[in-house]
Amino acid sequence: MEYEIDGKPFSSELVRAASKGSLSSSEGVVGVLLTPDWTGINEHARLQARKLAQQGAVVLIVDLYGRGIRPQDDSQAHAASAPLLADRMEVRRRMRAALSALQQQLPAGVPVKALGFSFGAMASLELGRGGAALSGVAVVWPVLHNPDAASARHISGPVLVIQGTRDGFSTLAQVQSFAEEMDAAGRRYEIVLFGGVKHGFTIPGLPNRPDHPLATDPAASDATDIRLLQFLLNKG
């Protein structure tokens, strides 16, 4: 799906069940704005989107960087993501454009929820902190650092946080800070912690090496699938 922000082209991907055809009614439909980790649109994001689409969601995988910018390694991912980590207002602007693009594909009145992974979780939370009318925000192995704690008061729907206790990119201290921000703002939230689980645990095929911060955890990944269906689509 192509759209522009101030003349700059972006290319997000719309994922929906092939049998759905055109949507003429809002009954039973949920839109999900899925924002990937710092490598941008990738196979992990597509896998997550397909799981949701098979259950009836209309999913837009967000392009935060711009058309043709697809990091191939950590160095490129850092170069693409660092300016946005430092400019949360720009993140919100790009997320609002993606939200508008998704809403144009949905019948009026369809609820939209946000789902983000790592860097994309930060972007999903920023969309909520910017006051977007979201029915919920789910973040998995998220980047939780928030330079403006008071902005949590603008989040309109419930928030679900899912991560492991051995996540080196989002420490338990940061989880505690997030909880304090949400408590102070009077917002609804739930935190699910998987003991001994590292960052990236829903990405298939990552080895669990002592010297590496990422590792797949099949049990935590399966449990996350169930919880996301419950939260995002009211299933299970």
Side-chain angles (χ1 to χ4, degrees):
M1 178 179 295
E2 303 285 330
Y3 53 92
E4 292 187 353
I5 305 174
D6 292 341
K8 179 176 180 176
F10 288 77
S11 183
S12 296
E13 294 186 8
L14 189 69
V15 182
R16 55 194 294 183
S19 61
K20 289 296 180 181
S22 62
L23 294 173
S24 59
S25 170
S26 63
E27 184 176 356
V29 178
V30 176
V32 177
L33 197 66
L34 192 161
T35 311
D37 61 42
W38 71 341
T39 59
I41 295 176
N42 54 35
E43 287 308 309
H44 173 259
R46 295 185 180 106
L47 172 64
Q48 298 296 326
R50 287 194 297 269
K51 290 177 183 179
L52 295 171
Q54 287 167 1
Q55 297 298 319
V58 178
V59 185
L60 187 67
I61 308 175
V62 178
D63 172 16
L64 269 182
Y65 297 145
R67 187 172 65 199
I69 302 176
R70 298 290 185 264
Q72 299 301 306
D73 55 34
D74 285 352
S75 176
Q76 292 180 10
H78 180 268
S81 63
L84 292 176
L85 280 169
D87 188 350
R88 301 298 180 96
M89 294 301 104
E90 179 61 18
V91 171
R92 294 180 187 182
R93 195 166 72 103
R94 296 186 184 190
M95 289 295 289
R96 284 194 296 268
L99 175 61
S100 177
L102 174 58
Q103 288 172 326
Q104 290 173 27
Q105 302 300 312
L106 300 170
V110 169
V112 175
K113 297 181 180 181
L115 168 62
F117 294 84
S118 192
F119 171 76
M122 176 278 296
S124 298
L125 286 168
E126 285 301 327
L127 181 61
R129 291 166 180 151
L134 297 170
S135 295
V137 178
V139 292
V140 185
W141 30 285
V143 172
L144 288 174
H145 172 67
N146 179 15
D148 180 14
S151 62
R153 70 184 186 276
H154 299 300
I155 297 175
S156 59
V159 176
L160 172 65
V161 176
I162 304 177
Q163 78 160 57
T165 61
R166 293 183 61 201
D167 191 320
F169 296 93
S170 183
T171 65
L172 291 179
Q174 289 173 329
V175 174
Q176 179 63 34
S177 294
F178 172 82
E180 291 171 357
E181 292 170 14
M182 295 293 282
D183 284 342
R187 302 294 90 183
R188 291 177 293 158
Y189 68 98
E190 177 184 356
I191 297 173
V192 177
L193 292 175
F194 294 116
V197 173
K198 296 180 179 179
H199 200 74
F201 63 85
T202 60
I203 301 175
L206 296 178
N208 192 352
R209 301 197 308 265
D211 62 340
H212 200 272
L214 279 68
T216 302
D217 190 293
S221 182
D222 289 347
T224 296
D225 285 346
I226 293 170
R227 191 66 191 90
L228 288 177
L229 287 176
Q230 292 171 339
F231 182 84
L232 296 171
L233 306 182
N234 301 315
K235 303 228 178 207

